């Protein structure tokens, strides 16, 4: 046979074989089994595994169980940054206060008109079966078993939650403060005639009313605030003129004591006593602060207030609570110039919280709550574990954990 013909025959069979294998490989052969995964490396205790190579621009969300409750990134314990603010009671609460045990909270629910106590474990109990509709203002006694209730029509009563009894208070009395023992009350008795206007004290059962000082035309210059030591019952801004940015304040005693006056650097004097009565925290505003309220602290003795110290925090003193030598204060995150003249401009401004050492004056940013709120009625638990407050607009009770 011709060699050329033999070559073409061999070439034909080779090409046919390759075509047949190609058809088998791509269309008819079984899929190979997946390769076995290499065994996981055993890491020593406490060592984190290395990260696998990632794809730029494609972050992976953590599994749902790894996301903490509240806003992602919010700390569970206050440490100066974003902090979880947990709801204690989703109600329209008014005048929140710490109960006598130092742990539970007491408040009036505007929705149903009842007073409640919420315990540290979240149990809610009514303080009374009585319903009190449309209360305008509440002043709690230090023992938290009594409260003075004021109504829009001018009616006022003292209610005792232990005995479930009430006593009517004259309509022309105003601006109340209970004694340290909760058995007496200081107030202004405002008659139509200026000659019949007095700073008075009375027993909480309505007996033993006593005139302390004549007020005359100066009732609006007197702040009723009974000191924890029982020595002073009010402050009068009727001292000598000190200039536009200063006021002389005179403490008033319940037995006509002649206490030494002290000077505050501004207007709008708002005082808050420490529980032991050894410190007086107050706020005033002046031109230097852009007429924004600024905190000050002074030492309180048996017969005088002295040694004032500026704390350089812009908030009102009644947005603070004092415990263990420290003040915990709600501070507006932004405060417009002139806010001291019109406090309501801060009603929609979220607050942050500061801790202030009242001995050294050292101040520390404590927490930025994850939920915006204009805080009021701050209360620190006796064990120092929680800070409670209400949102002014909604009345919802929140707490942040301090330790």
């Amino acid at each position: 046979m011709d060699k050329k013909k033999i070559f073409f025959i061999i070439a034909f069979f080779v090409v046919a074989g390759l075509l047949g294998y190609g058809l088998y490989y791509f269309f008819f052969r079984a899929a190979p089994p997946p390769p076995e995964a290499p065994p996981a490396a055993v890491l020593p205790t406490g060592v984190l595994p290395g990260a696998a190579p990632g794809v730029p621009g494609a972050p992976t969300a953590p599994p749902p169980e790894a996301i903490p409750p509240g806003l992602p990134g919010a700390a569970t314990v206050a440490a100066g940054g974003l902090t979880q603010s947990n709801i204690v009671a989703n109600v329209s609460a008014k005048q929140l206060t710490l109960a006598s045990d130092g742990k539970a909270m007491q408040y009036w629910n505007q929705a149903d008109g009842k007073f409640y106590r919420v315990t540290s474990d979240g149990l809610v109990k009514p303080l009374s079966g009585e319903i009190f509709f449309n209360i305008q203002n509440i002043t709690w006694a230090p023992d938290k078993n009594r409260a003075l209730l004021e109504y829009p029509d001018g009616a006022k009563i003292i209610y005792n939650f232990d005995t479930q009894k009430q006593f009517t208070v004259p309509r022309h009395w105003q601006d109340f403060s209970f004694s340290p023992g909760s058995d007496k009350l200081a107030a202004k008795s405002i008659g139509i005639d200026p000659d019949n206007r007095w700073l008075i004290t009375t027993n909480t059962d309505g007996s033993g009313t006593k005139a302390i000082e004549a007020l005359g035309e100066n009732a609006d210059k007197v702040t009723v605030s009974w000191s924890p030591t029982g020595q002073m019952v009010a402050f009068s801004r009727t001292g000598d003129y000190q200039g536009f940015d200063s006021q002389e304040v005179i403490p008033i005693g319940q037995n006509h004591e002649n206490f030494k006056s002290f000077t505050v650097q501004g207007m709008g004097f708002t005082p808050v006593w420490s529980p032991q009565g050894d410190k007086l925290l107050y706020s005033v505003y002046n031109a230097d602060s852009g007429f924004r309220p600024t905190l000050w602290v002074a030492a309180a003795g048996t017969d005088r207030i002295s040694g004032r110290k500026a704390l350089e925090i812009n908030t009102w003193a009644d947005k603070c609570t004092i415990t263990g030598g420290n003040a915990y204060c709600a501070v507006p995150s932004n405060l417009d110039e002139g806010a001291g003249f019109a406090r309501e401009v801060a009603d929609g401004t979220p607050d942050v919280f500061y801790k202030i050492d009242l001995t050294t004056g050292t101040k520390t940013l404590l927490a930025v709550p994850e939920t915006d709120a204009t805080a009021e009625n701050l209360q620190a638990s006796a064990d120092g574990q929680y800070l409670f407050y209400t949102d002014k607009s909604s009345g919802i009770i929140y707490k942040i954990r301090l330790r």
Side-chain angles (χ1 to χ4, degrees):
M1 184 179 289
D2 191 307
K3 290 182 178 181
K4 190 173 182 180
K5 289 182 179 179
I6 294 172
F7 174 78
F8 279 113
I9 291 170
I10 293 172
F12 171 78
F13 282 108
V14 170
V15 171
L18 291 173
L19 289 172
Y21 180 76
L23 290 171
Y24 163 78
Y25 184 85
F26 288 104
F27 296 102
F28 298 103
R29 78 180 181 96
E36 293 185 5
V42 179
L43 297 175
T45 303
V47 178
L48 295 176
V55 180
T60 302
E65 61 271 15
I67 301 176
L71 188 67
T76 56
V77 179
L82 193 65
T83 307
Q84 291 180 18
S85 48
N86 299 304
I87 294 178
V88 176
N90 193 3
V91 296
S92 182
K94 188 169 184 178
Q95 208 60 47
L96 179 73
T97 190
L98 190 68
S100 57
D101 65 359
K103 298 179 181 179
M105 292 288 110
Q106 295 178 183
Y107 62 91
W108 174 64
N109 187 346
Q110 299 181 72
D112 63 10
K114 290 185 177 182
F115 282 89
Y116 291 94
R117 175 179 293 167
V118 54
T119 63
S120 56
D121 58 3
L123 185 63
V124 180
K125 297 181 178 179
L127 283 176
S128 169
E130 295 287 337
I131 297 177
F132 304 86
F133 288 116
N134 203 27
I135 299 175
Q136 186 176 52
N137 190 52
I138 301 166
T139 303
W140 288 98
D143 66 4
K144 308 304 171 67
N145 293 324
R146 283 169 266 206
L148 188 137
L149 315 180
E150 300 179 65
Y151 294 87
D153 63 356
K156 303 174 182 73
I157 63 170
I158 298 173
Y159 190 81
N160 189 312
F161 292 96
D162 281 343
T163 63
Q164 306 288 299
K165 293 182 179 180
Q166 68 182 46
F167 300 93
T168 300
V169 173
R171 289 173 179 261
H172 59 278
W173 289 5
Q174 62 186 42
D175 298 345
F176 302 93
S177 180
F178 281 92
S179 67
S182 302
D183 58 336
K184 292 184 178 181
L185 191 71
K188 300 176 191 174
S189 176
I190 306 299
I192 297 175
D193 187 340
D195 291 337
N196 195 26
R197 298 173 185 172
W198 293 84
L199 175 68
I200 60 98
T201 60
T202 186
N203 296 328
T204 52
D205 62 2
S207 66
T209 302
K210 182 172 65 173
I212 301 298
E213 292 285 347
L215 298 175
E217 300 282 1
N218 294 318
D220 60 340
K221 297 179 181 179
V222 173
T223 303
V224 184
S225 181
W226 209 318
S227 69
T229 62
Q231 299 278 16
M232 304 172 187
V233 296
F235 297 101
S236 177
R237 302 182 305 279
T238 54
D240 294 337
Y241 179 71
Q242 301 289 310
F244 184 68
D245 273 352
S246 298
Q247 288 183 310
E248 185 180 13
V249 179
I250 303 170
I252 301 175
Q254 60 173 318
N255 297 309
H256 306 283
E257 296 93 339
N258 185 22
F259 293 126
K260 183 177 176 59
S261 67
F262 62 101
T263 301
V264 297
Q265 302 302 111
M267 300 170 285
F269 175 69
T270 302
V272 173
W273 290 100
S274 67
Q276 295 76 29
D278 60 336
K279 295 283 193 303
L280 182 70
L281 180 71
Y282 64 90
S283 58
V284 290
Y285 53 87
N286 57 31
D288 290 340
S289 66
F291 299 104
R292 300 174 179 90
T294 303
L295 292 179
W296 294 70
V297 65
T302 56
D303 62 348
R304 68 181 62 195
I305 308 293
S306 61
R308 68 175 185 261
K309 180 185 298 184
L311 298 174
E312 298 178 348
I313 293 282
N314 292 126
T315 192
W316 290 268
D318 56 12
K319 285 174 72 71
C320 302
T321 185
I322 303 174
T323 183
N326 297 310
Y328 296 91
C329 299
V331 179
S333 53
N334 178 60
L335 203 55
D336 293 336
E337 186 172 355
F341 293 110
R343 182 169 179 165
E344 61 274 9
V345 300
D347 282 353
T349 303
D351 286 320
V352 297
F353 295 104
Y354 274 81
K355 177 182 178 180
I356 306 169
D357 186 317
L358 294 181
T359 300
T360 65
T362 303
K363 52 187 179 293
T364 306
L365 177 61
L366 183 67
V368 179
E370 62 177 337
T371 304
D372 288 347
T374 302
E376 62 180 2
N377 304 133
L378 269 67
Q379 306 288 322
S381 60
D383 59 8
Q385 189 168 2
Y386 292 104
L387 183 67
F388 300 89
Y389 60 96
T390 53
D391 175 33
K392 187 170 185 178
S393 62
S394 67
I396 295 174
I397 304 173
Y398 292 95
K399 70 176 178 182
I400 60 173
R401 188 171 178 178
L402 299 179
R403 60 178 177 84

